[in-house]
């Protein structure tokens, strides 16, 4: 039989942690000896090891308490879910570690090579330096926050700009930056962009990030904030596509 101090030392937790687990209902209170001290057995040690392992895996204490009453199959299924969550976290940490290493090596603009080449090509197509720099910054943001979905979005834009007619629309969008917000040319440009969008995607939605992501709103807000004309153009395009 163990005292609470011996149990904590053998399992690798603090006495305070054992008491917290008692208070939370995770670890049942053991019997006491004639002197009134708690006495723990091997089963208590095994239970405490399970609790510690789950807690270290990031499982909330309330969830651990639920698992105590789970059947064998329910417990195994929960462990598989926890393992999947850990795997996803590990992959995310590895991706973050890779980005940190690239930053430490002096790569302050961690864009894939084909994306960097595409951004440089924008200037040769006649886009302003303002547009080129904006596109570079926005792609860095998208690839940093949504690396998997960013590839699909980039491929879509690269295909669009490879079409001379569609590229001309983007060039007109770029040049509209300095127009007055009430300029009638914005209405015509919004119409042409909406028509081109419908022609390209039909009834399908264009590729986009997760609905819960705040990045698209942040990106469009950044674009709109730089020009009253762009801000109105965005409203006109949305209105036409929503009609």
């Amino acid at each position: 039989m163990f005292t609470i101090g011996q149990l904590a030392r053998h399992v690798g937790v603090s006495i305070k942690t054992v008491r917290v687990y008692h208070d939370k209902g995770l670890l049942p209170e053991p019997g006491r000896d004639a002197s009134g001290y708690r006495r723990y057995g091997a089963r208590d040690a095994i239970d405490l090891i399970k609790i510690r392992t789950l807690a270290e895996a990031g499982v909330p204490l309330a969830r651990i308490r639920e698992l105590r009453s789970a059947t064998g199959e329910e417990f195994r299924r929960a462990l598989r879910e926890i393992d999947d969550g850990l795997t996803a976290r590990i992959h995310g940490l590895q991706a973050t570690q890779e980005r940190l290493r690239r930053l430490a090596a002096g790569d302050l603009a961690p864009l894939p090579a084909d994306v960097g080449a595409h951004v440089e090509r924008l200037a040769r197509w006649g886009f302003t330096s303002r547009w080129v720099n904006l596109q570079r910054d926005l792609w860095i943001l998208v690839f940093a926050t949504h690396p998997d979905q960013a590839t699909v979005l980039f491929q879509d834009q690269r295909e669009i700009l490879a079409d001379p007619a569609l590229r001309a629309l983007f060039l007109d969008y770029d040049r509209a930056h300095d127009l007055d917000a009430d300029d009638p040319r914005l209405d015509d440009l919004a119409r042409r962009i909406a028509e081109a969008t419908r022609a390209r995607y039909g009834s399908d939605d264009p590729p986009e990030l997760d609905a819960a992501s705040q990045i698209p709103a942040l990106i469009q807000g950044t674009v709109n904030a730089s020009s009253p004309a762009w801000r109105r153009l965005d409203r006109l395009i949305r209105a036409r596509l929503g009609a």
Side-chain angles (χ1 to χ4, degrees):
M1 304 295 289
F2 304 125
T3 64
I4 189 172
Q6 291 170 329
L7 176 71
R9 185 166 58 254
H10 285 309
V11 175
V13 298
S14 67
I15 294 176
K16 180 180 179 180
T17 296
V18 177
R19 289 175 174 153
V20 168
Y21 291 163
H22 283 320
D23 292 340
K24 298 292 185 181
L26 277 70
L27 187 67
E29 287 275 358
R32 296 176 181 264
D33 62 16
S35 300
Y37 292 105
R38 296 183 181 94
R39 292 296 176 179
Y40 300 86
R43 173 50 55 187
D44 297 310
I46 292 172
D47 287 345
L48 183 55
I49 290 172
K50 289 180 179 179
I51 295 169
R52 183 202 66 187
T53 302
L54 290 170
E56 289 177 347
V59 181
L61 296 185
R63 177 63 171 148
I64 297 175
R65 186 170 57 248
E66 293 173 3
L67 292 176
R68 284 191 53 81
S69 59
T71 64
E73 178 55 34
E74 290 172 341
F75 187 75
R76 286 188 290 272
R77 183 167 60 250
L79 290 185
R80 288 194 293 270
E81 293 173 357
I82 293 167
D83 183 76
D84 291 342
L86 282 173
T87 299
R89 285 166 56 191
I90 289 169
H91 289 165
L93 288 171
Q94 288 174 334
T96 300
Q97 183 183 53
E98 176 60 25
R99 289 197 294 272
L100 287 174
R101 288 173 175 172
R102 293 174 65 180
L103 289 174
D107 186 358
L108 300 180
L111 283 176
D114 55 341
V115 181
H118 169 78
V119 171
E120 292 178 1
R121 194 177 302 119
L122 295 176
R124 296 197 295 272
W125 280 334
F127 286 95
T128 64
S129 59
R130 175 190 57 239
W131 182 272
V132 174
N133 291 333
L134 179 62
Q135 291 297 307
R136 179 183 294 107
D137 290 345
L138 296 182
W139 280 121
I140 288 174
L141 176 61
V142 173
F143 272 90
T145 56
H146 298 76
D148 296 332
Q149 295 168 290
T151 300
V152 175
L153 294 177
F154 169 68
Q155 290 174 346
D156 183 61
Q157 187 181 99
R158 181 167 57 183
E159 291 176 4
I160 290 173
L161 293 182
D163 183 323
L166 295 179
R167 185 165 67 243
L169 285 178
F170 275 82
L171 284 165
D172 286 344
Y173 199 122
D174 178 16
R175 293 162 185 157
H177 179 276
D178 297 324
L179 293 178
D180 187 86
D182 295 324
D183 194 304
R185 285 173 289 182
L186 295 177
D187 295 88
D188 179 64
L189 178 56
R191 176 188 59 77
R192 289 187 286 127
I193 290 176
E195 290 176 353
T197 301
R198 289 198 182 94
R200 177 171 175 79
Y201 301 107
S203 59
D204 296 330
D205 293 327
E208 56 186 12
L209 300 179
D210 294 331
S213 175
Q214 297 180 340
I215 297 301
L218 176 62
I219 290 175
Q220 193 60 57
T222 301
V223 172
N224 291 350
S226 66
S227 163
W230 279 357
R231 186 160 56 249
R232 180 165 181 263
L233 186 56
D234 177 48
R235 291 199 302 270
L236 291 171
I237 293 170
R238 290 177 185 273
R240 285 184 173 276
L241 290 177

